[in-house]
Amino acid sequence: MLDAAIKTQLAAYLEKLQQPIELVASTDASDASRQMRELLADIAALSPKVTVREDGSDARRPSFSVGRPNEPHRIRFAGLPMGHEFTSLILALLQSGGHPPKVDAAVIEQVQAIEGEFKFETFISLSCHNCPDVVQALNLMAVLNPDVESVMIDGALFQQEVEARQIMAVPVVFLNGKVFGNGRMSLEEIVAKLDTGAAARAADELDAKEAFDVLVVGGGPAGSAAAIYAARKGIRTGVVAERFGGQVLDTLAIENFISVQHTEGPKLAAALEQHVREYEVDIMNLQRAASLVPGKNMHEVRLASGATLKAKTVILATGARWREMNVPGEQEYKAKGVCFCPHCDGPLFKGKRVAVIGGGNSGVEAAIDLAGIVGHVTLLEFDGKLRADAVLQAKLKSLPNVTVIVSAQTTEVVGDGHKVTGLVYKDRVSGESRRVELDGIFVQIGLLPNTDWLKGTLNLSKHGEIEVDARGQTSVPGIFAAGDVTTVPYKQIIIAMGEGAKASLSAFDHLIRAPVPVALAA
């Protein structure tokens, strides 16, 4: 099941086991069960601390549990945790075997203190790059707290259950049989949802913080670079972010980050955070900025939690988000057939009919990827022609199960109250309205800058981007901006990092040249 190179790497990891663990399989006569037996046998052969039993009684087959001998098992994998989920399996093995997790002690204490009965079920697809974060967080909670159970369920393998629960996007988490959350969630986010008093405590702590010399709003590539450059100047630096990593967390393959031939978004986001933490930077995660109040010598960033942060200079790096169609039915059927990630959610539509909205590179790439999974793809483009690169258009035209419709304005998402059943579009040439019967819709029409909270505070372009000069300075003195949220062209990770560094250097220059002496942190 595992090749020689992976076995060598896995054997090295398993040497870190401090206590014995066992894997208990529930199988049947299927080919998937055969593969699972091979996988578990390969793992057990790599460490004397790992044993395997095949007398499991789980109704989901194939599945297996991970735990210590003679103790209740609280982690389970329904399906083969390969692809992106292989890391989830490795971490479950190590953490169940006593290897300490790389998590802040305060978060560990918070998990251990949660009281109640928590049975989590996480539906995933093996091609989803956001799913492992959720699975790994819940598995760790199950290791730390005896009242928590976690099971990963491969939606492609358990299609009947997916259809019965009307799951149209992954990851989706059920808690005690009810929907708990959709999309990527970090350990901190999950704990915050369970610990209802956490938000109030965090707001009080934030309010009590001293003013920063530089406060970065946003934790993506631009924000991370800005924080590092500021901290290296020895000044008091803070980062406040709704989710550290930003849009990079939703990015799959990254192959144009110079000197790194290939990486993936979540991996890069983790590396960014690790680098920032090498410096004395106050990271305030899971905090959404609600308003900016500029001042003569001191600015305020007010958060959705009610807390207020003060800073002598501010760097805005809030990035962008997926652009939505803004048509009737879209909001109602989000995660019920309206999707934004073909890599994550495509396997849930195997053999079905879907649409892709958008004829740029992203839309055409999505259609090509989906064509290998689903029954049929209809691509709709507002313009009179596709805008994707010629090589992508040629590939698209070669696929037999793809229909391209141009001059098509999507006007409505149609459903039965539970899930998408189709869409309505207007032919922009004839003016005629037409309906397409579908099971899913993948929206790929670009990005919107996250500047709604800044309107009326500083100058924005007609597209809602923050207007900046060559130094990253906004229209308000002492307020700088960087990355995808600005008017700087070409929204690329490497450009965002450079702009973040530039904005940080400009903020430092502003501080040292301020008319009133500014006391810098030691």
Side-chain angles (χ1 to χ4, degrees):
M1 181 68 184
L2 301 177
D3 63 34
I6 292 178
K7 287 182 180 179
T8 300
Q9 293 176 349
L10 183 54
Y13 282 122
L14 294 179
E15 289 179 358
K16 300 177 182 179
L17 291 174
Q18 298 178 11
Q19 299 180 31
I21 58 173
E22 67 175 0
L23 312 175
V24 180
S26 301
T27 60
D28 52 24
S30 66
D31 186 59
S33 286
R34 176 189 60 77
Q35 294 178 16
M36 178 173 289
R37 292 189 194 97
E38 292 178 2
L39 171 64
L40 301 186
D42 283 349
I43 294 172
L46 298 175
S47 172
K49 286 189 169 69
V50 181
T51 57
V52 177
R53 289 171 27 209
E54 295 190 15
D55 57 351
S57 58
D58 197 316
R60 295 189 184 100
R61 295 172 184 263
S63 67
F64 67 95
S65 62
V66 180
R68 296 175 185 172
N70 304 316
E71 292 184 10
H73 288 197
R74 301 192 296 274
I75 296 176
R76 191 175 304 276
F77 293 92
L80 275 72
M82 302 302 290
H84 290 293
E85 291 296 345
F86 190 62
T87 301
S88 302
L89 171 58
I90 294 174
L91 289 174
L93 297 172
L94 294 178
Q95 293 164 359
S96 296
H99 186 67
K102 294 181 179 179
V103 178
D104 288 345
V107 177
I108 291 177
E109 292 179 5
Q110 195 176 3
V111 172
Q112 292 172 331
I114 296 174
E115 296 181 352
E117 184 176 319
F118 305 95
K119 295 184 178 180
F120 289 100
E121 300 168 294
T122 307
F123 285 82
I124 61 96
S125 70
L126 296 181
S127 60
C128 171
H129 58 286
N130 289 322
C131 295
D133 290 332
V134 181
V135 173
Q136 291 164 24
L138 293 172
N139 285 352
L140 177 56
M141 290 180 63
V143 170
L144 296 173
N145 190 319
D147 294 327
V148 177
E149 296 180 15
S150 171
V151 56
M152 178 217 82
I153 305 166
D154 181 358
L157 195 59
F158 294 91
Q159 280 281 340
Q160 289 185 343
E161 191 167 357
V162 165
E163 293 178 2
R165 297 201 188 194
Q166 298 181 338
I167 296 169
M168 307 294 288
V170 292
V172 60
V173 179
F174 288 81
L175 171 58
N176 299 335
K178 297 182 179 179
V179 175
F180 175 76
N182 292 278
R184 183 189 178 277
M185 291 185 289
S186 66
L187 175 62
E188 291 82 358
E189 288 174 297
I190 295 169
V191 173
K193 289 188 70 172
L194 297 174
D195 184 357
T196 54
R201 294 195 302 272
D204 290 340
E205 292 176 3
L206 293 173
D207 264 334
K209 290 184 181 293
E210 296 180 9
F212 294 94
D213 294 314
V214 174
L215 177 62
V216 181
V217 185
S224 297
I228 290 170
Y229 267 73
R232 286 176 62 87
K233 293 293 186 181
I235 59 180
R236 179 167 165 74
T237 304
V239 175
V240 59
E242 189 166 359
R243 57 170 188 162
F244 202 98
Q247 191 189 345
V248 168
L249 291 166
D250 303 323
T251 305
L252 192 58
I254 299 172
E255 298 176 338
N256 58 357
F257 189 63
I258 310 305
S259 83
V260 179
Q261 293 184 6
H262 175 87
T263 188
E264 294 180 347
K267 184 177 180 180
L268 177 58
L272 291 174
E273 183 172 359
Q274 183 179 4
H275 196 176
V276 173
R277 290 187 183 278
E278 290 293 318
Y279 298 91
E280 292 186 10
V281 176
D282 189 345
I283 297 178
M284 297 158 280
N285 200 13
L286 308 183
Q287 298 293 333
R288 181 168 59 84
S291 63
L292 173 67
V293 183
K296 185 175 181 181
N297 298 313
M298 190 70 66
H299 310 289
E300 292 185 357
V301 174
R302 296 176 181 174
L303 308 178
S305 65
T308 298
L309 299 172
K310 297 180 176 62
K312 297 164 186 173
T313 61
V314 176
I315 298 175
L316 304 172
T318 47
R321 64 189 183 277
W322 290 113
R323 185 185 298 273
E324 298 178 356
M325 297 182 291
N326 293 319
V327 299
E330 181 179 23
Q331 295 299 320
E332 180 182 355
Y333 291 105
K334 266 188 178 179
K336 298 178 182 178
V338 175
C339 309
F340 296 86
C341 180
H343 301 290
C344 300
D345 302 328
L348 299 177
F349 295 88
K350 184 177 181 179
K352 298 181 179 180
R353 301 179 66 86
V354 303
V356 172
I357 310 300
N361 282 351
S362 296
V364 172
E365 287 175 352
I368 292 170
D369 289 344
L370 289 166
I373 302 171
V374 305
H376 187 271
V377 179
T378 301
L379 186 147
L380 294 95
E381 163 58 33
F382 182 85
D383 201 354
K385 61 181 183 301
L386 299 183
R387 295 169 286 109
D389 294 343
V391 64
L392 293 175
Q393 293 192 43
K395 175 63 177 176
L396 185 71
K397 292 177 181 178
S398 72
L399 301 174
N401 62 335
V402 176
T403 299
V404 176
I405 304 175
V406 296
S407 298
Q409 179 181 357
T410 304
T411 57
E412 183 181 2
V413 173
V414 181
D416 60 6
H418 300 287
K419 60 183 180 179
V420 166
T421 58
L423 63 77
V424 178
Y425 73 92
K426 183 177 77 172
D427 185 321
R428 297 179 58 241
V429 176
S430 67
E432 180 183 355
S433 288
R434 298 172 182 170
R435 174 167 171 159
V436 182
E437 301 298 325
L438 301 161
D439 298 291
I441 301 169
F442 291 82
V443 183
Q444 301 282 293
I445 54 176
L447 300 170
L448 278 176
N450 293 317
T451 55
D452 293 344
W453 64 290
L454 295 169
K455 291 178 179 177
T457 304
L458 40 70
N459 291 347
L460 304 177
S461 73
K462 64 179 181 180
H463 301 296
E465 300 166 320
I466 301 173
E467 293 183 349
V468 293
D469 64 14
R471 297 166 57 87
Q473 172 70 58
T474 70
S475 59
V476 178
I479 307 292
F480 301 84
D484 288 3
V485 75
T486 72
T487 50
V488 171
Y490 311 121
K491 312 304 185 185
Q492 298 291 312
I493 292 172
I494 196 166
I495 293 175
M497 286 184 173
E499 291 296 312
K502 181 201 297 183
S504 189
L505 293 171
S506 297
F508 181 73
D509 188 64
H510 176 85
L511 286 169
I512 64 176
R513 295 176 185 276
V516 178
V518 177
L520 302 183

